Amino acid sequence: MTIRENNKGLSLILYLFSFFLLLEWIYPLKEVANTGNTSLFIIFIILSFILYVFNAPFFPVFVLKIIFISFSLHHIFFDKPIFGIEWVSILLTDIMKNIGLLFAGNWSQLTNEFRTMLFFILLWLIMYLLRYWVIVRRNVFLFFVMTIVYITVLDTFTPYNSKFAIVRTVFFGFVLLGMLFFQRFVERENVRSTQKLMTKWMVPLSVMIIGSIFIALIAPKASPIWPDPVPYLKSYAGADKNGNKEGIGSSVKKVGYRVDDSKLGGPFEGDDTVVFRVVAESRQYWRMETKDLYTGKGWKASKPDATSTYRMQDDIPISLNKGLVPSSKDEKENRKKSKSASITLEQRSPNLVHTYGFTNILYNKPSGIDPEKEDAFSVNDATEKITAIQNNDPLYIRDYMVIYQLQRYSIKKMSQITGKNAQFDPRYIQLPEKFPKRVKDLAEELTKDKTNWYDKTKAIEGYLQSGKYKYDKKNVGIPKENQDYVDQFLFETLRGYCDNFSTSMVTMLRSIGIPSRWVKGYSSGEYQGAEGVSQNIYKVTNNNAHSWVEVFFPNVGWVPFEPTMGFVNNSVFNNDLTTKSQAASTTPKEEEDTKKPQKEQDADNETTSSDGFSFTNLWEKTTKFFHDHWLFIVSIIFVVTLISGLVYLKRSKWLPYILIWKYRARNDTETFSKAYLSLLKQLERFGLRKETGQTLREYARNVDNYFGTETMYQLTEQYERNIYRGENIKIDWEQTRELWENLIKKTTG
């Protein structure tokens, strides 16, 4: 192995151990910073190391990293198509806004998108410094010490357990320090670096490091001499006994349906665990329960024990939308056309999801359940939560069918409700005694020009959907002891998720006398494909857990509204304020799309060529596949790139055989000249580079001295005669070819 190849191989190993050392900065992020998608940071580090190994030019590296960072930000924060311009515009606007906040010193208001971008830039700078320390300075002691300090501080002041992180850091750090010391020694003493010499150095070093770590792990440890300073520091900083400052929770909830909603707020982690699968005609919001008692911190049920029971074998409609009274023949006919949705629960629970217009549930009694026992539904009259029971015990049903009737809400009827002589349950306008006045003032300001309940409701819904409030799952505050949950969101943090938006809308409506309630369940889920002619399959995960608003309109019933930024109400509103023909043209597109099967929605947006091929459909399938399998695709690209890089680094081993095959069958006048030039390039790849100002004959002597032959000098003489004297050596190629092949084969050893 030549010095050049040995240096390349050693540099690759140095980068590999540097990568393992840098990973110790990434591993704690999930526990410490509530950061998901750490795999993207790891892929970014791998990409940077690969580019450094190949010594790629600055500009392509810069462009490639910018593209990767942009792709990562889109994957984490945006649901819009990656090849669209809309999300790019939103991102650029967000960056400009955050730069202003950064220079103004308002660091606490920086968005998660901008923070993530800054972290990528930080990794970029660390990678540059690490490359400088490893390749130029040949010393990473400072980075090694910084890593040790970083891990020990996290272990002391956070829940992160660094026991094995310290072991890994010590191992990789000392191996890296030892290899760099060997590199400095070789360069300083001008010793020829060979694989044998490196092995003699690294084997004892590795044995010593592993042995030291093993002894340290099994040896008895002395108790701490000094008391733990952490409790003192936390108490000095004003934290509670759990280490949480007032109003800030260090523990992060995991997203999903939960029973207790009495204390809302705080960040949560994503969870893509599948809860249930749906086969239905169209997208639906899936209800679990409602809450009517707002406490200032969250929601409770005012009558948790009031229940009604319906026997499963009885074909009796279950009414959950009391007050929904048909007033026309068309509406009566619509209610006769029942639809069904097949539900398959993936998690064991007696609680059943349902949708709007729900009338009944059908299911086949599974094996293992006593057929003699009576099955029933327990419906809570206050929360409308449906539970399957058998002899008053929970009954766990996996597959069932929800029977429902498509609900169409009349805008005309809702617009007729002004509040005069309206009858409703007073618990739906309940608010705490110390409800903040400025919340009510805001609601009154938003609705001062509106005369009916529907217009007032839409005004508040539109205000929350306007973009003033940021949808955020991570940087979400928890109200302090004397602080109202809604007041904090509307006037202080201005960022939150569905619970913040929906609770704010309900309380604002109640403050101006409009009965409303808080609903929780799941959004429609992810489209998985079609089944049959008109049925579609949806996958609903914990990430789809959602809350929204229902408003009570006399003679219409409970009507859903969606105040959360980025979500669309799937309900159908009949714009019957005008003639039927005008109503058809003014029906919002998203409402019509709700009625259509997914296949019909896709067909509406297709651009089809004359031969029937849909370019738009192909493009959508391609982008969807890339979105769903991005990690697999990136992994394949990484593996292919790594293999390609290794093949490229080892090209001096296999390229000579291709050159031999290429020139063996040729015998024209230019064959020898081209073969000789190829030999020069191969010798350079091998590590025998021609110095500047060195003649070919001097270089040939150096090559022959290295290999112990006179072949290169003979080939060089013939090359010079051919170039400078113009001699035709076509006849001599058969004789010189064997010399050329023997010499170029020596470079593969």
Side-chain angles (χ1 to χ4, degrees):
M1 180 178 287
T2 65
I3 296 175
R4 181 179 178 84
E5 280 191 327
N6 192 47
N7 288 340
K8 280 187 177 180
L10 184 59
S11 297
L12 186 61
I13 296 174
L14 290 174
Y15 278 131
L16 182 63
F17 278 92
S18 301
F19 166 72
F20 289 133
L21 199 60
L22 185 57
L23 284 184
E24 299 302 332
W25 291 72
I26 305 297
Y27 289 145
L29 293 180
K30 285 187 177 181
E31 296 184 38
V32 175
N34 306 321
T35 302
N37 297 282
T38 54
S39 58
L40 290 173
F41 301 133
I42 297 175
I43 294 173
F44 180 75
I45 295 173
I46 294 174
L47 175 65
S48 300
F49 274 126
I50 291 175
L51 295 173
Y52 286 147
V53 167
F54 291 113
N55 199 23
F58 170 78
F59 183 73
V61 170
F62 179 83
V63 173
L64 184 60
K65 288 185 178 180
I66 291 296
I67 292 174
F68 183 87
I69 293 174
S70 302
F71 160 78
S72 301
L73 293 175
H74 173 272
H75 175 75
I76 298 173
F77 297 106
F78 296 94
D79 293 329
K80 303 182 182 301
I82 188 172
F83 297 106
I85 195 65
E86 186 177 356
W87 74 272
V88 178
S89 175
I90 296 174
L91 178 62
L92 292 177
T93 303
D94 184 78
I95 291 174
M96 297 303 297
K97 176 183 176 182
N98 280 271
I99 290 176
L101 294 173
L102 193 64
F103 283 104
N106 298 326
W107 297 340
S108 61
Q109 298 183 22
L110 297 179
T111 62
N112 286 339
E113 294 90 330
F114 190 72
R115 293 172 190 265
T116 305
M117 187 188 72
L118 290 181
F119 187 73
F120 272 113
I121 295 174
L122 176 64
L123 282 180
W124 194 336
L125 295 175
I126 291 177
M127 293 293 300
Y128 177 80
L129 290 174
L130 196 54
R131 178 176 182 267
Y132 173 76
W133 288 329
V134 170
I135 302 301
V136 180
R137 293 291 302 275
R138 306 292 191 191
N139 193 337
V140 293
F141 182 75
L142 177 61
F143 183 71
F144 176 58
V145 172
M146 289 170 57
T147 306
I148 293 290
V149 173
Y150 169 76
I151 292 174
T152 52
V153 168
L154 291 183
D155 182 76
T156 304
F157 294 97
T158 72
Y160 181 65
N161 187 347
S162 66
K163 176 180 179 181
F164 293 103
I166 288 291
V167 173
R168 294 191 302 265
T169 302
V170 169
F171 174 75
F172 293 128
F174 275 109
V175 169
L176 191 57
L177 289 172
M179 295 177 69
L180 290 174
F181 178 82
F182 171 79
Q183 190 80 343
R184 294 198 305 272
F185 171 78
V186 168
E187 293 172 354
R188 184 175 64 249
E189 302 298 331
N190 199 23
V191 178
R192 183 184 175 190
S193 177
T194 63
Q195 186 175 0
K196 184 176 180 181
L197 182 61
M198 187 191 304
T199 303
K200 288 183 178 180
W201 171 263
M202 290 306 302
V203 170
L205 176 66
S206 301
V207 171
M208 181 185 68
I209 295 173
I210 295 173
S212 301
I213 293 174
F214 178 74
I215 293 173
L217 288 174
I218 65 174
K221 281 79 174 175
S223 301
I225 300 176
W226 296 310
D228 186 3
V230 176
Y232 171 77
L233 294 175
K234 287 184 176 180
S235 62
Y236 181 79
D240 61 19
K241 63 182 180 180
N242 296 320
N244 299 330
K245 289 186 179 181
E246 185 180 24
I248 301 175
S250 63
S251 60
V252 181
K253 302 186 288 280
K254 182 167 285 191
V255 66
Y257 172 80
R258 62 179 184 271
V259 176
D260 187 6
D261 302 298
S262 59
K263 293 183 179 180
L264 300 178
F268 63 78
E269 293 180 347
D271 182 10
D272 58 1
T273 303
V274 179
V275 181
F276 59 93
R277 300 179 189 274
V278 181
V279 179
E281 182 177 308
S282 60
R283 293 182 177 274
Q284 306 284 336
Y285 268 17
W286 299 100
R287 303 168 83 248
M288 288 293 294
E289 60 179 325
T290 68
K291 296 288 178 70
D292 60 351
L293 180 61
Y294 178 65
T295 64
K297 302 295 182 184
W299 290 96
K300 294 181 179 179
S302 59
K303 301 176 182 179
D305 299 326
T307 60
S308 299
T309 302
Y310 299 83
R311 293 199 308 169
M312 289 188 180
Q313 59 267 36
D314 292 342
D315 188 18
I316 302 175
I318 302 174
S319 176
L320 297 183
N321 200 353
K322 295 180 179 178
L324 185 59
V325 180
S327 59
S328 70
K329 181 178 179 181
D330 292 337
E331 291 185 30
K332 292 179 180 179
E333 290 299 322
N334 287 336
R335 284 180 173 78
K336 292 179 181 179
K337 299 176 181 178
S338 295
K339 298 180 180 297
S340 64
S342 298
I343 309 292
T344 301
L345 297 179
E346 300 292 342
Q347 297 184 7
R348 190 170 183 264
S349 173
N351 301 320
L352 307 180
V353 298
H354 50 280
T355 189
Y356 288 95
F358 163 76
T359 59
N360 214 332
I361 288 178
L362 304 177
Y363 93 107
N364 293 322
K365 185 173 293 188
S367 59
I369 295 180
D370 189 350
E372 300 299 326
K373 291 185 177 180
E374 184 178 275
D375 305 338
F377 299 127
S378 173
V379 181
N380 188 295
D381 295 330
T383 65
E384 298 189 351
K385 186 175 184 178
I386 302 177
T387 304
I389 59 174
Q390 188 176 69
N391 289 1
N392 295 323
D393 294 325
L395 176 63
Y396 299 97
I397 302 174
R398 175 175 169 80
D399 299 293
Y400 60 94
M401 182 176 292
V402 173
I403 308 300
Y404 67 98
Q405 298 162 342
L406 182 62
Q407 301 295 290
R408 301 176 184 272
Y409 303 102
S410 170
I411 295 179
K412 181 179 180 179
K413 289 183 179 180
M414 290 186 287
S415 299
Q416 293 172 350
I417 309 300
T418 61
K420 295 180 180 180
N421 301 320
Q423 296 182 357
F424 52 84
D425 193 328
R427 60 193 173 107
Y428 293 117
I429 56 171
Q430 169 273 335
L431 288 172
E433 290 185 7
K434 297 182 179 180
F435 186 70
K437 183 177 182 299
R438 59 178 177 175
V439 177
K440 180 179 180 180
D441 292 342
L442 175 61
E444 291 177 343
E445 176 66 23
L446 294 173
T447 60
K448 63 181 180 180
D449 298 329
K450 312 300 179 183
T451 59
N452 61 75
W453 281 7
Y454 177 75
D455 289 341
K456 292 180 179 182
T457 301
K458 293 298 290 184
I460 294 176
E461 181 189 49
Y463 172 74
L464 293 171
Q465 281 263 14
S466 65
K468 179 177 180 179
Y469 299 95
K470 182 74 173 179
Y471 185 85
D472 191 347
K473 301 176 183 178
K474 299 296 184 181
N475 190 21
V476 183
I478 299 177
K480 298 177 182 179
E481 183 177 355
N482 296 321
Q483 189 176 31
D484 185 87
Y485 174 70
V486 169
D487 185 83
Q488 181 197 46
F489 169 69
L490 291 177
F491 300 103
E492 295 186 14
T493 63
L494 278 71
R495 59 196 313 114
Y497 40 88
C498 57
D499 291 348
N500 300 88
F501 286 88
S502 56
T503 302
S504 297
M505 182 172 176
V506 172
T507 55
M508 290 171 73
L509 288 171
R510 290 184 173 189
S511 70
I512 57 175
I514 299 178
S516 52
R517 61 186 181 185
W518 188 69
V519 195
K520 55 185 292 190
Y522 297 89
S523 59
S524 55
E526 181 181 351
Y527 175 71
Q528 299 292 294
E531 182 175 287
V533 178
S534 61
Q535 297 295 298
N536 300 282
I537 306 171
Y538 302 95
K539 178 180 70 176
V540 181
T541 70
N542 278 327
N543 287 326
N544 296 118
H546 190 50
S547 62
W548 60 97
V549 177
E550 288 180 356
V551 179
F552 182 77
F553 292 89
N555 297 326
V556 176
W558 288 104
V559 181
F561 289 88
E562 180 54 86
T564 305
M565 183 69 180
F567 287 77
V568 178
N569 191 352
N570 290 323
S571 301
V572 180
F573 289 80
N574 282 343
N575 189 1
D576 46 7
L577 290 174
T578 58
T579 63
K580 291 186 177 180
S581 59
Q582 291 172 323
S585 63
T586 56
T587 301
K589 184 179 185 302
E590 61 268 22
E591 297 169 5
E592 291 299 321
D593 288 345
T594 304
K595 298 180 288 183
K596 296 180 181 180
Q598 184 70 28
K599 292 185 294 185
E600 292 183 23
Q601 294 182 37
D602 296 339
D604 289 343
N605 299 319
E606 284 185 355
T607 301
T608 308
S609 61
S610 58
D611 60 356
F613 180 79
S614 173
F615 292 101
T616 304
N617 192 35
L618 177 61
W619 179 259
E620 291 177 352
K621 289 181 178 179
T622 304
T623 54
K624 183 180 185 303
F625 178 82
F626 186 82
H627 182 270
D628 294 341
H629 305 282
W630 69 269
L631 185 58
F632 173 75
I633 295 173
V634 171
S635 302
I636 292 297
I637 294 174
F638 167 69
V639 172
V640 172
T641 304
L642 183 61
I643 294 174
S644 301
L646 293 175
V647 171
Y648 178 79
L649 290 175
K650 296 296 182 180
R651 66 191 185 283
S652 61
K653 300 289 186 182
W654 53 266
L655 190 56
Y657 295 101
I658 295 179
L659 294 174
I660 291 172
W661 172 81
K662 176 181 178 181
Y663 291 112
R664 178 172 291 178
R666 297 178 59 179
N667 196 20
D668 54 71
T669 55
E670 297 180 353
T671 299
F672 176 74
S673 297
K674 293 179 179 179
Y676 182 83
L677 294 175
S678 298
L679 176 62
L680 291 179
K681 292 181 180 179
Q682 175 61 19
L683 289 171
E684 182 178 347
R685 286 190 289 266
F686 182 71
L688 298 173
R689 187 171 185 176
K690 180 178 175 294
E691 302 295 335
T692 304
Q694 191 178 34
T695 65
L696 280 177
R697 294 197 178 195
E698 291 173 344
Y699 175 66
R701 289 296 185 190
N702 290 341
V703 173
D704 285 336
N705 289 336
Y706 184 86
F707 290 113
T709 65
E710 295 183 357
T711 304
M712 186 63 183
Y713 194 82
Q714 296 176 23
L715 294 173
T716 301
E717 283 186 326
Q718 294 192 34
Y719 176 75
E720 289 180 340
R721 287 201 308 271
N722 185 48
I723 295 298
Y724 300 117
R725 299 182 186 180
E727 296 181 6
N728 189 342
I729 59 169
K730 177 180 179 181
I731 301 176
D732 298 329
W733 172 239
E734 289 298 329
Q735 300 174 2
T736 57
R737 180 176 59 81
E738 185 175 354
L739 295 175
W740 177 83
E741 288 184 4
N742 290 336
L743 182 58
I744 203 170
K745 284 180 180 178
K746 290 182 179 293
T747 63
T748 63

